Amino acid sequence: MGYRNAPSRGVGPERIRRHRSTTAVENRTRNCRVSRLSAVATSTHTPVHPDRHHSPPNEGSTAMSRAAIPVHVDKDTTLRVKIIDACGLTCTFCHNEGTPVAVDNRNRLPGEFLAAGASGRMSIYAQTNGAAFLPAPVPDNEEFAYALTALGEALELTEVHLTGGEPTLHPGVATLTKIAVDAGLRVGMTSNGERGERVIGDCAAAGLDRVNFSIFGTTASELADVQHPRYRNPVLAQRRIDALERSIAACETHGVKASANIVVPDYAHAPRVHRLLDEFSPNLTVRLLMSLDHGDGSITAIERILAERCAVAEAHYVTAGGSNSRTAYRLPDGRRILFKHIRPVRLPQTCAGCRFNNGTDCAEGFYGVRLYYDRTGTWQVGVCIQRMDLCLPLEEFLVSPVRAEILGLRNAEYTRLRTRRVG
């Protein structure tokens, strides 16, 4: 669960930030000095990565490192649902779940959609991915229940993950959560935290299991630097960070698991990671995400950061039927960190002839299934944010070969990866 320095309930961000990271930095330096040789000897940052997309230089360098780290395989049974397009941030790298920014394209036709518009927001693939619809807020009624039930049965789903835009801006996010829980699904959410303080309590009561908070900056200047030039205002950025902190504290108050996602393009971002680790409570799970645009440079930077923290790899987790994988590390103080990777997973038929199907242009492989609600009131099912032209209306998807292809890939990968692990 997420909060800084174990604040008491109802304590504001000014109290959360009161304890600075000086002591933590000193302790980290002292601990690493003592355990550096031990960490290197046990290959602290050499995980087992079956079918990894970007391989670090040291992967597989020793048989001991492979034998020391257990591999756990599960199936991808998660559905990502874009419940709203609105967002209060203007991050320059946003893929917006593949859809165009609705407010900037409401008077445009498919083929005319812009990647960036007057709002300052970005959807980096919108001009090239063939998107043919604009997103609308998901209705918090029986329509959503039907869509979840239909896809749940068709794809053997166990979990739904609410995304956006910023899902906490959806006025019915708690109701959507309850609908998903009533459908027998575990519910997670990805959020920048801008409105979480107001809605997490109701979402928790509805059954929300966890929130993955996206951390785009640990200081006002860091967050401002990745916004549209018009919104690079440190005062506004600090308000966003304060709101994020209150949202993380709300998770602790209401018993919702919380994690912090932080993308590491290169080593210049190391101070941001260290601040996050030093200033947040050890109860917050931190996930370091490789930058798809920076490839091996991103991996090298993350490995260096892990070595500086004297992190020891504990286990590798692979999701069969999707490109997601992650390695779990333990710090000397017992804190857990996850390093998330992308594997080169493809749908065998759908991806075969794709122009992006190579080691350079395909950003996330087959990451999983996404559900959208468009402005005509149609549910759309997508399999790739770079190929939104592959989206199908829900009723068509349910009887399409793609459904069987997804299930076939999932089961085949699960069997192969489990066999490899046992072998």
Side-chain angles (χ1 to χ4, degrees):
M1 297 175 210
Y3 48 91
R4 284 197 176 188
N5 302 311
S8 60
R9 297 184 180 183
V11 174
E14 66 281 356
R15 173 69 180 275
I16 295 173
R17 288 195 302 272
R18 185 174 298 169
H19 177 71
R20 306 311 299 167
S21 61
T22 303
T23 301
V25 172
E26 292 172 352
N27 290 340
R28 168 162 51 86
T29 302
R30 186 181 306 113
N31 290 339
C32 279
R33 188 179 300 119
V34 171
S35 58
R36 175 80 64 186
L37 292 177
S38 173
V40 171
T42 56
S43 299
T44 63
H45 52 278
T46 307
V48 179
H49 297 160
D51 303 322
R52 198 168 70 204
H53 188 33
H54 299 283
S55 297
N58 66 350
E59 184 188 348
S61 58
T62 66
M64 180 178 66
S65 66
R66 287 185 177 274
I69 307 172
V71 179
H72 304 279
V73 181
D74 59 7
K75 294 183 179 182
D76 178 21
T77 55
T78 299
L79 173 71
R80 294 175 68 87
V81 184
K82 180 185 173 87
I83 64 171
I84 194 168
D85 189 64
C87 182
L89 296 181
T90 59
C91 301
T92 56
F93 46 79
C94 184
H95 61 59
N96 201 34
E97 295 293 331
T99 67
V101 176
V103 70
D104 291 328
N105 291 279
R106 55 193 171 191
N107 296 319
R108 296 180 179 275
L109 297 174
E112 301 175 350
F113 294 146
L114 301 175
S119 72
R121 292 182 56 206
M122 282 289 298
S123 180
I124 58 176
Y125 301 126
Q127 283 184 284
T128 59
N129 66 6
F133 64 88
L134 291 179
V138 165
D140 55 350
N141 56 28
E142 66 280 357
E143 288 187 63
F144 185 47
Y146 166 75
L148 289 184
T149 300
L151 276 175
E153 293 175 354
L155 295 175
E156 302 170 10
L157 301 175
T158 62
E159 181 171 331
V160 63
H161 198 82
L162 307 180
T163 70
E166 169 49 43
T168 63
L169 295 179
H170 193 298
V173 62
T175 302
L176 294 174
T177 299
K178 186 176 188 310
I179 290 171
V181 170
D182 288 346
L185 299 169
R186 185 169 58 251
V187 182
M189 179 192 302
T190 293
S191 173
N192 64 37
E194 62 181 289
R195 194 169 171 265
E197 179 188 23
R198 301 180 187 178
V199 303
I200 284 174
D202 289 341
C203 289
L208 179 66
D209 179 67
R210 73 184 191 281
V211 180
N212 299 336
F213 289 103
S214 298
I215 310 295
F216 304 123
T218 54
T219 67
S221 60
E222 285 176 350
L223 181 57
D225 282 347
V226 297
Q227 303 303 298
H228 184 279
R230 189 163 68 249
Y231 299 103
R232 287 179 186 168
N233 182 328
V235 174
L236 178 60
Q238 187 59 55
R239 290 177 189 161
R240 300 299 190 194
I241 292 175
D242 292 347
L244 168 66
E245 292 171 339
R246 291 193 296 269
S247 295
I248 293 174
C251 284
E252 189 272 339
T253 298
H254 296 286
V256 176
K257 295 189 289 288
S259 64
N261 292 345
I262 187 164
V263 178
V264 185
D266 53 48
Y267 189 72
H269 292 258
R272 181 163 58 107
V273 177
H274 287 309
R275 273 194 297 273
L276 177 65
L277 291 169
D278 290 335
E279 297 182 15
F280 278 71
S281 163
N283 293 323
L284 179 72
T285 299
V286 175
R287 306 199 308 176
L288 305 181
L289 279 57
M290 63 169 287
S291 169
L292 299 174
D293 291 336
H294 292 76
D296 286 343
S298 175
I299 290 175
T300 300
I302 292 174
E303 290 179 335
R304 183 176 173 185
I305 292 167
L306 290 169
E308 290 171 350
R309 307 295 304 203
C310 299
V312 177
E314 289 190 322
H316 189 61
Y317 299 88
V318 184
T319 303
S323 57
N324 180 33
S325 67
R326 58 261 182 229
T327 305
Y329 292 82
R330 188 72 63 178
L331 299 187
D333 64 0
R335 186 171 192 165
R336 200 166 189 249
I337 301 179
L338 296 176
F339 177 7
K340 183 177 176 181
H341 315 270
I342 294 295
R343 299 187 303 125
V345 174
R346 305 287 191 271
L347 288 170
Q349 288 79 45
T350 300
C351 299
C354 178
R355 64 187 183 278
F356 300 122
N357 189 12
N358 56 67
T360 302
D361 298 322
C362 184
E364 64 173 19
F366 175 59
Y367 193 74
V369 179
R370 289 175 166 94
L371 179 65
Y372 309 89
Y373 189 73
D374 72 22
R375 290 203 162 189
T376 70
T378 302
W379 295 102
Q380 301 281 350
V381 182
V383 295
C384 179
I385 58 176
Q386 289 182 269
R387 289 289 310 278
M388 292 293 284
D389 58 306
L390 297 174
C391 287
L392 292 173
L394 174 59
E395 301 300 337
E396 291 184 27
F397 174 83
L398 294 175
V399 296
S400 75
V402 180
R403 169 185 167 271
E405 186 181 7
I406 291 169
L407 292 174
L409 171 67
R410 180 196 300 169
N411 293 329
E413 269 220 319
Y414 184 74
T415 299
R416 177 174 61 82
L417 291 169
R418 291 275 296 179
T419 301
R420 176 183 295 182
R421 187 191 71 166
V422 173

